[in-house]
Amino acid sequence: MTCLECNKNLGYLDHRNSMESLGVELCSQHKARMEDLMKKKGTPLEAIQLYYGLKKVGVAAMLEWWDGKKSIDIAISRVKLNIEIDTEYHMMTHEQAINDLEETMHSFRNGFTTIRIPHVLVRHYLKETVNNIIGIMEGLKANVKVI
């Protein structure tokens, strides 16, 4: 049991506390940082779980990346992929749908692809979600090489 951020060996209490609050293995210092990020930026728990799921398989992602207009939950700049975690997709209004579409347009104009992932997919199907994101990354890499 090691911290996914710094590879520090975790004791039983650090491991248990981190798994209970975040669902990922982090030392007390990095757990506190993630909890602070959630409080200050409103980062969804599932964004943190997905970030570390991607990190485990070697994907260099960034949490809460500023795109010039707003903060993106997860960005993978190498393939120009923005990932947003939808936590309230079942309550979407037409105003929110238009705002999401405008944000996607802004990303496209800057050469980025934005995907929105319902939080329940990350919560219940993390491994499959990570595998699908890797597939999307491979497709984006292939398309970038073609151009």
Side-chain angles (χ1 to χ4, degrees):
M1 298 181 296
T2 60
C3 175
L4 293 172
E5 194 64 47
C6 66
N7 293 320
K8 175 183 170 187
N9 285 328
L10 299 178
Y12 171 76
L13 285 178
D14 281 342
H15 179 265
R16 188 188 77 190
N17 291 339
S18 182
M19 290 303 290
E20 284 178 358
S21 67
L22 299 175
V24 294
E25 295 177 327
L26 296 175
C27 65
S28 58
Q29 179 184 5
H30 287 107
K31 175 184 168 284
R33 282 186 183 176
M34 290 301 118
E35 290 171 340
D36 192 45
L37 187 67
M38 290 170 66
K39 222 179 273 179
K40 287 182 178 175
K41 300 269 188 175
T43 304
L45 171 64
E46 294 82 5
I48 291 168
Q49 293 171 340
L50 181 57
Y51 168 77
Y52 283 108
L54 291 166
K55 186 174 179 128
K56 263 186 178 176
V57 297
V59 175
M62 298 173 285
L63 264 174
E64 292 300 336
W65 181 71
W66 183 254
D67 76 347
K69 185 176 179 185
K70 70 177 222 98
S71 190
I72 303 298
D73 290 334
I74 299 172
I76 305 170
S77 62
R78 199 168 112 218
V79 292
K80 295 189 171 192
L81 177 62
N82 292 337
I83 302 170
E84 291 286 348
I85 304 298
D86 282 339
T87 56
E88 298 180 14
Y89 62 92
H90 61 282
M91 300 173 166
M92 185 175 281
T93 64
H94 70 280
E95 291 94 355
Q96 184 61 45
I98 289 293
N99 287 339
D100 287 352
L101 189 59
E102 287 174 358
E103 289 170 7
T104 300
M105 176 195 64
H106 175 73
S107 294
F108 265 62
R109 285 186 174 167
N110 290 321
F112 280 78
T113 300
T114 299
I115 59 172
R116 299 187 188 294
I117 300 174
H119 72 286
V120 294
L121 278 182
V122 175
R123 186 176 296 157
H124 299 291
Y125 302 101
L126 178 61
K127 186 176 180 180
E128 294 88 343
T129 303
V130 167
N131 288 338
N132 280 302
I133 291 171
I134 289 169
I136 291 167
M137 290 173 60
E138 289 168 356
L140 289 170
K141 281 182 202 173
N143 289 332
V144 168
K145 289 178 184 175
V146 170
I147 295 174

